[in-house]
Amino acid sequence: MSKTDTTETERSRDEAAGAQLSTAPQEETAIGGPVLGVVGWIRWFWRQLTSMRVALILLFLLSLGAVPGSLIPQTSADELKVQAFKEAHETLTPVYEKLQFFDVYSSVWFSAIYILLFVSLIGCIVPRTWQFVGQLRSRPPGAPRRLDRLPAYTTWRTEAEPEQVREAALAVLKGRRFRAHTAGDAIAAEKGYLREAGNLLFHVALIVILVAFAWGQLFKSEGGKLIVEGDGFSNTLTQYDDFKSGSQFGLDELEPFGFTLDSFHGTYETKGPQRGTPRTFEAAVRYSEGGGTEKKAVIRVNEPLKVGGSKVYLIAHGYAPVVTVKDGRGKTVFHGAVPLLPIDNNITSTGAIKVMDGYRDKNGKKDQLGFQAFFVPTFAGAGQGTMFSQFPALVSPAMALTAYYGSLGVDSGLPQNVYQLDKSNLKQFTDESGNKLAKRLAPGQSMTLPDGAGSITFEKDIKEWASFQISQQPGNGLALAGAIAAIAGLTGSLFIQRRRVWVRAVRGEDGVTVVEMAGLGRSESAKLPEELGDLAVTLAAQTPPSAPAPEPAEEPAEDPAPSEEADK
């Protein structure tokens, strides 16, 4: 065999030698052969689906598919917003409905991407795991014939015996946490297995996150409740203002607990450019679980109350003025706190006061009353500002009322917003001059209705309300664990370098021992020659040197086509 043939053979062996440094399944290359049958096409499809390229494409599509779910109102989250969107965008609505953009996370196309990604990750991880386990159980391969062709290489001569050099090299490499053993006239060592472990951990963590997401969507429950100071809540379906849950959630899985809102306290910045900015929101509650002993707690923003597997979040607050309504005969027909909804950051609020039962005019005729309320906690005063709040705290509260009589529409059987008046069957009261009746009241003041229809009093007692979200998210802990594991695995796969080191010690023709040391990594790195140089200096210090001294580790000067990895 000629010298050229020998060189080509060695190059081929070197190029195929580093396969064990990677756990990626090797793809089979078909050269010619018969036409694929059904089984062949299934195998081809499976190889494509479980390839890393397809997994990345599916992950990108999953992220892209979540975009409309974030920008477009979702039926599972807020049906009212979806309905408002449909009314405002009549042209887009049919298109979005066909594309299932109002139910993205339960749509056919999103579920298909989700399931394919799940299968792809499992099909990718399983063979890589078995291959990695096999590499952990095996020893590092022996030294290639030509160490000087590897990316990092150094050599020196020593008066020590070859056996002494190999023993010293074995001790040094094991001291640096290399897996090392003697293979013929050389020491073979390998380090950095955690790189592949991190890679596998990252992909396993992705599966954990997908499982957690699916688990949370199927078994979650979430509801909202507005509670006025002094009122309570029991965790049953009828107590919620709104409630939604996953398809696999059962109502018997609601945690048996309840709580009472004793008081709400909020503080605000009083000076400077941030005047009115909230500083603290605290809801003092008393709660009990399963009819047990009552306990006290304070719920703050981002500090929920945890009861069993449920969490109670504080999400909003406002004011509930106390009003008293009397009929034409002076009988009290309504007395209580009426929650009003904020419309700006200074808690300017609006709402409705509805008197449905028990009201009679001066002639004893049954009727219904409705009042449109507009409340400000800090009013600048007549002639000093518009009817908008100047500050969110209760400094100088005022409430404007507009009175109506007639049918409130509550007997029609159709659902109705408790914070709005249906004025289709209502008439507004007028004063003696024929002007529509409306009046601004301070705490303690009353508005008398015309023709002996009664009166309404704005009491000095103004309560606050708080809105809570009660949720059960069984997959949150698992998702957090998966995210932490994914970050740890990705960090390991990016920053840990898997590399091999060989040390060969043989006696030269002049009787002096020649030591060769070479290193090979999965990817080129400046740290590999530095590490090899440090190992060479340490090893040379433990053996009697002979001129010349060890040369620094460097790239080989002459290598027309250096291979990335090497074999025995």
Side-chain angles (χ1 to χ4, degrees):
M1 182 181 296
S2 65
K3 182 177 181 180
T4 302
D5 295 337
T6 302
T7 303
E8 292 297 331
T9 301
E10 292 178 354
R11 284 182 180 175
S12 299
R13 293 181 59 191
D14 290 339
E15 290 173 357
Q20 295 180 355
L21 276 175
S22 174
T23 58
Q26 298 180 2
E27 297 184 359
E28 298 179 5
T29 303
I31 302 176
V35 178
L36 292 176
V38 176
V39 176
W41 279 110
I42 293 175
R43 289 178 178 175
W44 177 86
F45 177 78
W46 176 253
R47 292 193 187 101
Q48 298 303 313
L49 180 61
T50 57
S51 66
M52 187 57 61
R53 179 180 63 256
V54 172
L56 292 174
I57 292 174
L58 290 173
L59 188 61
F60 172 75
L61 290 177
L62 193 70
S63 304
L64 192 64
V67 173
S70 302
L71 299 179
I72 301 173
Q74 298 296 294
T75 304
S76 60
D78 196 330
E79 293 185 6
L80 294 178
K81 285 187 177 180
V82 172
Q83 187 62 35
F85 183 92
K86 291 181 178 180
E87 294 175 358
H89 303 83
E90 296 180 357
T91 305
L92 288 176
T93 296
V95 179
Y96 284 2
E97 287 180 341
K98 290 181 179 179
L99 295 176
Q100 298 180 296
F101 278 177
F102 296 115
D103 299 279
V104 168
Y105 302 111
S106 59
S107 64
V108 175
W109 56 268
F110 190 87
S111 300
I113 297 174
Y114 190 90
I115 295 173
L116 285 175
L117 177 60
F118 193 84
V119 174
S120 177
L121 288 174
I122 293 179
C124 181
I125 289 173
V126 171
R128 292 175 72 98
T129 301
W130 285 116
Q131 194 166 358
F132 180 57
V133 170
Q135 292 181 17
L136 289 177
R137 298 176 61 182
S138 63
R139 289 186 170 188
R145 183 180 304 175
R146 295 279 304 276
L147 290 178
D148 58 346
R149 298 185 69 250
L150 296 181
Y153 173 81
T154 186
T155 182
W156 70 94
R157 305 173 71 192
T158 178
E159 296 178 354
E161 295 295 326
E163 292 78 6
Q164 294 177 332
V165 175
R166 288 193 288 269
E167 290 178 2
L170 191 63
V172 169
L173 291 169
K174 286 186 176 180
R176 299 290 183 92
R177 298 192 300 276
F178 278 83
R179 293 177 59 198
H181 71 103
T182 303
D185 58 358
I187 301 297
E190 189 168 356
K191 188 178 182 181
Y193 283 92
L194 287 179
R195 178 188 180 95
E196 297 301 332
N199 190 18
L200 292 173
L201 177 62
F202 173 74
H203 290 86
V204 171
L206 289 181
I207 293 180
V208 171
I209 293 174
L210 292 176
V211 171
F213 178 78
W215 186 18
Q217 290 296 313
L218 292 174
F219 295 94
K220 74 174 183 178
S221 71
E222 186 176 277
K225 179 64 177 178
L226 186 150
I227 304 176
V228 180
E229 288 177 324
D231 292 343
F233 167 79
S234 179
N235 193 27
T236 58
L237 183 62
T238 57
Q239 289 279 298
Y240 283 94
D241 294 332
D242 60 86
F243 182 84
K244 54 183 179 292
S245 63
S247 59
Q248 300 301 314
F249 182 84
L251 296 179
D252 56 342
E253 298 178 34
L254 288 171
E255 296 282 348
F257 73 93
F259 64 92
T260 300
L261 176 62
D262 289 333
S263 63
F264 181 88
H265 180 67
T267 60
Y268 309 89
E269 186 66 38
T270 58
K271 299 179 181 179
Q274 294 186 338
R275 183 176 183 272
T277 302
R279 292 306 179 200
T280 59
F281 285 155
E282 297 179 345
V285 301
R286 288 176 289 115
Y287 72 97
S288 61
E289 183 177 3
T293 305
E294 202 169 53
K295 303 176 183 178
K296 292 185 177 181
V298 176
I299 305 176
R300 301 180 178 88
V301 178
N302 296 327
E303 294 183 19
L305 171 66
K306 299 179 182 179
V307 184
S310 300
K311 292 184 179 180
V312 182
Y313 294 90
L314 174 63
I315 59 175
H317 91 288
Y319 295 103
V322 177
V323 297
T324 300
V325 180
K326 295 183 179 180
D327 63 11
R329 296 174 296 177
K331 180 183 176 181
T332 300
V333 293
F334 179 86
H335 176 80
V338 181
L340 304 179
L341 300 182
I343 60 174
D344 62 20
N345 293 332
N346 286 327
I347 317 186
T348 301
S349 307
T350 63
I353 303 170
K354 301 179 182 182
V355 182
M356 296 174 286
D357 300 317
Y359 172 77
R360 295 176 183 272
D361 60 17
K362 65 178 181 178
N363 299 321
K365 182 181 178 181
K366 290 184 178 181
D367 206 352
Q368 294 179 337
L369 298 179
F371 300 88
Q372 189 70 51
F374 194 88
F375 174 83
V376 292
T378 302
F379 180 52
Q384 300 183 27
T386 58
M387 189 62 180
F388 282 91
S389 179
Q390 309 296 315
F391 192 72
L394 286 173
V395 178
S396 56
M399 181 167 61
L401 293 174
T402 306
Y404 298 86
Y405 67 96
S407 175
L408 295 171
V410 295
D411 300 325
S412 64
L414 298 176
Q416 191 178 93
N417 192 328
V418 297
Y419 304 104
Q420 294 179 353
L421 281 179
D422 181 3
K423 302 175 185 177
S424 57
N425 296 313
L426 292 175
K427 295 181 180 180
Q428 187 172 349
F429 282 101
T430 57
D431 57 19
E432 297 177 353
S433 302
N435 298 320
K436 292 182 178 180
L437 183 63
K439 188 175 181 180
R440 183 172 63 240
L441 304 176
Q445 295 182 342
S446 300
M447 180 174 70
T448 302
L449 302 178
D451 299 327
S455 65
I456 179 170
T457 302
F458 177 19
E459 304 291 350
K460 294 183 179 180
D461 182 20
I462 301 176
K463 295 186 177 182
E464 297 192 49
W465 59 261
S467 182
F468 299 92
Q469 177 179 291
I470 301 93
S471 63
Q472 290 182 236
Q473 296 283 352
N476 284 352
L478 188 63
L480 177 61
I484 295 174
I487 294 174
L490 185 62
T491 301
S493 64
L494 291 177
F495 296 101
I496 297 176
Q497 183 185 14
R498 189 173 175 189
R499 62 272 191 198
R500 287 173 178 163
V501 173
W502 292 276
V503 180
R504 174 176 285 137
V506 296
R507 192 179 300 279
E509 295 180 356
D510 55 357
V512 179
T513 300
V514 178
V515 182
E516 290 182 293
M517 180 178 286
L520 174 66
R522 283 195 62 178
S523 58
E524 293 187 14
S525 173
K527 294 184 178 180
L528 180 61
E530 294 177 4
E531 183 179 29
L532 193 71
D534 182 51
L535 288 171
V537 171
T538 303
L539 178 58
Q542 297 184 16
T543 55
S546 176
E551 300 176 1
E554 59 182 6
E555 302 289 338
E558 297 180 0
D559 188 0
S563 62
E564 182 181 352
E565 300 170 335
D567 196 0
K568 296 183 181 180

